[in-house]
Amino acid sequence: MKRVVIGESRSQSTLFPELLDDYVAEDNPVRVIDVFVDELDMRELGFSGVDPQATGRPAYHPAMLLKLYVYGYLNRIQSSRRLERESQRNVEVMWLTGRLMPDFKTIADFRKDNGKAIQNVCREFVVLCRKLNLLTESMVAIDGSKFKAVNARDKNFTQAKMKRRMDDIDKSIDEYMRQLDTADRQEERIRQADTGRLKDKIAKLKDEMKRLKKLNAEMLKQPDKQISLTDPDARSMKTRGNGIVGYNVQTAVDVKNHLIVEHEVTNNGSDRGQLSSMAKKARQSMGLEKLEVVADRGYFKSEEIKACDDAGIITYLPEAITSRGRKNGTFTRQDFRYLPETDEYLCPSGERLYWHFTTKESGRFLRSYWNRAACRSCAIKEQCSPSPERRVRRWEHETVLEAMKLRLKLKDDAMRIRRQTVEHPFGTIKAWMGATHFLTRTMDRVSTEMSMHVLAYNLKRVINMMGVRGLVQAIRA
């Protein structure tokens, strides 16, 4: 062939460089991995095998296996079997591990046995980012996203699913019994063939019913009345689609550099109740005294906002409007204005609602306001309430919520900041995961796997900002 670049013959002897280091460029990300792991105190972080046993076969040092895993997650290679193959053919991995080639079982056991230590490594990189002045902005965005677990939907049971499955089996058995009656009226040869086939199907369905009844008994013992067969910690969760069986991952992301400063894996499908704990953890990770938090309306819960206010954390999130008045075209609670100087409410028609009594519901003290006389003669009462009077209830700490609503109005770009900050990391990590589900099972191991994803994401972000050489010099310094 002419006018093309021609490679060397496979039978031609070649003098490779004497040093493996010559194959790895100075700006290769593996150099960051190597320096970062070497600077870690593996014993203090809690890794097992740092001090080898005096007898037996020598073990691999945990630092080498950690480098292998960080490289794998940084390059979308999370499987232990794929990491084993990479150690045998990938020049970068050979350079990183010193040409060691552990088998997949050793690689998988390292992640399984050092879950807490790996999570500590993820936090250690956040501490490094703090030392590099990458977390100077005192605002984070908090959000949660659903990740699939290694558990098929057919192997997850709730009370509703269990009832539907049993009802379907009962209907199938009834249908097969009717077909048996029909088969009895056929000629002998056809009757014997149909009868045997239908009886086998009925027997299998009865065995399945017995299995489901045993599972139902176990399911009812669970606190949330739900059971998963493959991954016992995975839970059925609602999404915008058909729902998934998986985990709800919470993250707090720095609004300036989009670094994940804190994360947590939960099997609670709702974001309500997660705000204050994530905000406090994020503030501790960033080493700040004051912190601003922005989240979506899924986090709106009065007690959580009050807890953040008590801790000195400033929150920005829209109110979740659950009133049916908006759908019915009638007045909602937002149409009534509170008058703090007189402790009264002003209704849309200009009348005042007075306080009558205080009740306690779900641990909250609620004050009730109404004006029956004004409601009787109100010209627009049909737009307000079908009851004799319209009652408005006020939480004892309502001023905290009102102050947050005012802050949100003054900071009209808060929701835009939230969206462009916290959605990006989730999209990136799910793209890296490929099939968008975890490879491990149970909460502890899934938390370890998520920590590796977060570490790889943060590492790549910082490399893009500082460059390989700049980050290596900063770590060594």
Side-chain angles (χ1 to χ4, degrees):
M1 294 185 295
K2 298 181 179 179
R3 300 296 300 166
V4 295
V5 179
I6 301 175
E8 296 180 358
S9 173
R10 296 186 180 93
S11 60
Q12 176 67 40
S13 299
T14 305
L15 296 177
F16 286 104
E18 296 181 1
L19 299 176
L20 189 61
D21 191 66
D22 293 340
Y23 286 105
V24 179
E26 289 295 327
D27 57 351
N28 194 311
V30 296
R31 294 189 179 274
V32 175
I33 300 173
D34 185 59
V35 174
F36 171 66
V37 175
D38 285 343
E39 293 294 325
L40 295 175
D41 189 337
M42 306 295 288
R43 185 180 294 102
E44 183 179 351
L45 291 173
F47 282 95
S48 61
V50 177
D51 301 312
Q53 299 292 330
T55 59
R57 184 180 183 275
Y60 293 105
H61 196 275
M64 185 276 294
L65 293 170
L66 179 61
K67 291 177 183 179
L68 181 60
Y69 260 117
V70 175
Y71 177 88
Y73 278 82
L74 194 63
N75 292 274
R76 311 183 191 184
I77 309 170
Q78 297 95 27
S79 165
S80 59
R81 293 180 184 270
R82 292 182 61 197
L83 285 173
E84 178 189 14
R85 290 196 295 270
E86 292 299 313
S87 67
Q88 299 167 1
R89 67 187 182 188
N90 191 319
V91 175
E92 293 178 347
V93 177
M94 291 179 185
W95 180 90
L96 195 61
T97 62
R99 290 186 178 178
L100 294 176
M101 303 176 187
D103 64 276
F104 74 91
K105 189 68 168 59
T106 301
I107 298 172
D109 287 344
F110 170 78
R111 181 173 57 186
K112 180 187 69 174
D113 299 335
N114 295 277
K116 294 296 182 182
I118 291 175
Q119 295 174 40
N120 291 335
V121 172
C122 183
R123 297 189 184 97
E124 196 69 20
F125 190 79
V126 175
V127 173
L128 173 64
C129 294
R130 195 172 71 197
K131 293 179 180 178
L132 298 177
N133 296 322
L134 298 177
L135 301 176
T136 56
E137 192 74 24
S138 61
M139 176 180 275
V140 297
I142 294 178
D143 198 9
S145 185
K146 311 299 193 303
F147 285 71
K148 290 182 181 178
V150 189
N151 198 106
R153 294 171 63 182
D154 289 341
K155 292 191 176 183
N156 168 267
F157 295 93
T158 61
Q159 288 180 296
K161 284 183 182 179
M162 186 69 73
K163 186 177 183 304
R164 286 198 301 268
R165 190 74 63 86
M166 288 182 173
D167 290 344
D168 290 342
I169 291 177
D170 285 334
K171 291 178 182 177
S172 297
I173 291 176
D174 291 341
E175 177 61 26
Y176 289 144
M177 293 298 292
R178 284 193 293 270
Q179 292 183 22
L180 272 177
D181 294 338
T182 303
D184 289 339
R185 293 190 287 270
Q186 304 295 327
E187 59 181 81
E188 182 67 21
R189 181 172 57 85
I190 298 176
R191 183 175 70 250
Q192 290 180 354
D194 289 347
T195 301
R197 176 177 58 84
L198 292 172
K199 286 184 177 180
D200 288 342
K201 288 185 177 182
I202 292 173
K204 290 180 181 178
L205 288 174
K206 288 183 177 179
D207 291 340
E208 177 66 10
M209 181 63 81
K210 292 180 182 178
R211 186 182 76 91
L212 290 179
K213 287 181 178 179
K214 291 181 180 179
L215 288 176
N216 188 56
E218 296 179 11
M219 180 188 69
L220 294 177
K221 295 178 182 178
Q222 301 298 321
D224 56 355
K225 302 295 185 293
Q226 190 175 157
I227 189 172
S228 298
L229 302 183
T230 307
D231 185 349
D233 292 336
R235 289 294 177 265
S236 178
M237 300 180 182
K238 292 182 180 179
T239 61
R240 293 182 179 178
N242 297 324
I244 64 170
V245 178
Y247 294 90
N248 185 7
V249 180
Q250 301 287 318
T251 60
V253 184
D254 164 54
V255 299
K256 182 179 180 181
N257 294 315
H258 297 189
L259 295 170
I260 301 176
V261 299
E262 190 60 52
H263 71 280
E264 184 179 6
V265 178
T266 70
N267 57 5
N268 185 352
S270 174
D271 291 334
R272 298 187 71 207
Q274 309 281 351
L275 182 65
S276 61
S277 61
M278 286 300 300
K280 292 175 183 177
K281 291 177 182 179
R283 184 175 63 177
Q284 182 178 2
S285 298
M286 299 178 71
L288 300 174
E289 295 183 2
K290 296 182 179 180
L291 182 68
E292 294 180 282
V293 172
V294 58
D296 61 21
R297 68 178 71 250
Y299 286 87
F300 192 94
K301 187 178 181 181
S302 303
E303 294 85 345
E304 290 293 307
I305 298 172
K306 178 65 167 57
C308 289
D309 186 74
D310 292 341
I313 298 174
I314 301 173
T315 54
Y316 299 89
L317 63 157
E319 183 178 6
I321 301 175
T322 57
S323 173
R324 289 180 295 179
R326 183 65 57 87
K327 295 181 180 179
N328 299 334
T330 57
F331 295 124
T332 65
R333 189 177 182 276
Q334 287 69 31
D335 296 314
F336 293 77
R337 183 163 63 91
Y338 180 67
L339 305 175
E341 60 275 4
T342 57
D343 189 23
E344 298 170 347
Y345 269 94
L346 189 67
C347 77
S349 65
E351 298 291 341
R352 294 179 178 241
L353 310 185
Y354 309 109
W355 171 79
H356 285 266
F357 59 81
T358 301
T359 58
K360 185 177 182 181
E361 295 183 9
S362 303
R364 304 197 313 165
F365 288 96
L366 302 174
R367 297 168 61 85
S368 296
Y369 300 78
W370 73 82
N371 187 341
R372 182 172 298 176
C375 287
R376 286 175 179 173
S377 59
C378 182
I380 57 174
K381 187 177 182 302
E382 293 182 356
Q383 303 179 38
C384 192
S385 174
S387 303
E389 73 278 339
R390 174 62 184 264
R391 298 192 178 191
V392 177
R393 299 198 299 177
R394 179 180 177 84
W395 184 38
E396 60 177 335
H397 300 297
E398 195 76 22
T399 53
V400 175
L401 305 182
E402 292 171 347
M404 186 203 66
K405 295 174 188 176
L406 179 60
R407 287 196 302 268
L408 187 61
K409 288 182 179 179
L410 297 176
K411 194 176 181 63
D412 55 356
D413 62 340
M415 290 300 102
R416 179 180 58 82
I417 292 174
R418 184 208 69 83
R419 188 166 51 252
Q420 70 185 19
T421 298
V422 79
E423 300 291 349
H424 169 256
F426 279 133
T428 301
I429 291 175
K430 285 187 176 182
W432 286 356
M433 295 176 79
T436 65
H437 68 68
F438 292 110
L439 300 178
T440 54
R441 306 172 187 176
T442 71
M443 181 77 75
D444 292 338
R445 297 179 186 178
V446 168
S447 298
T448 302
E449 187 177 355
M450 191 65 204
S451 293
M452 289 300 306
H453 280 294
V454 171
L455 175 60
Y457 169 82
N458 284 340
L459 184 62
K460 194 162 189 176
R461 287 288 300 173
V462 177
I463 289 175
N464 290 338
M465 287 186 287
M466 300 182 60
V468 171
R469 297 184 183 183
L471 183 54
V472 167
Q473 292 175 0
I475 295 174
R476 286 175 174 168

